[in-house]
Amino acid sequence: NSPLVIDSATKLAERLVEKGGGADERVRRAYRIALSRPADAAEVDRAVEFVAQTQAELQQAGRQKSADAETTAWTAFCQSILASAEFRYIN
């Protein structure tokens, strides 16, 4: 949760959102960029559900507009990838 990780996650999320595509495609792209491997079907499903739920909660709480909530939700997902052991350690 350091400023460097949060900034990196934000930039990755902005890159994913700007490029467009569906949520599945964005998740696959994030895995390729951050982990240099394809995401499996279960990872895609969990990530898409996480992003959708996070975005809905942010909007429902009235804390963010739709576009801002979308980027914040994708940032949270990207932060989880960057904080993963798989990202931090060479196998």
Side-chain angles (χ1 to χ4, degrees):
N1 293 329
S2 73
L4 174 64
V5 173
I6 293 169
D7 184 56
S8 298
T10 301
K11 287 179 181 168
L12 178 56
E14 289 170 349
R15 181 176 172 186
L16 296 174
V17 171
E18 285 175 10
K19 182 87 172 177
D24 290 10
E25 185 179 339
R26 289 178 183 179
V27 170
R28 288 186 186 92
R29 192 176 311 122
Y31 269 75
R32 282 192 308 269
I33 292 168
L35 303 177
S36 297
R37 69 165 180 87
D40 66 34
E43 290 168 329
V44 172
D45 291 344
R46 283 192 306 264
V48 168
E49 182 179 336
F50 170 80
V51 170
Q53 182 177 355
T54 302
Q55 184 175 351
E57 288 173 3
L58 289 167
Q59 289 174 299
Q60 191 173 44
R63 294 191 299 190
Q64 295 186 330
K65 297 179 206 169
S66 181
D68 294 337
E70 177 183 34
T71 301
T72 300
W74 282 104
T75 299
F77 163 69
C78 291
Q79 187 174 351
S80 72
I81 288 179
L82 299 179
S84 71
E86 184 175 357
F87 179 81
R88 292 179 291 148
Y89 298 103
I90 298 173
N91 205 3

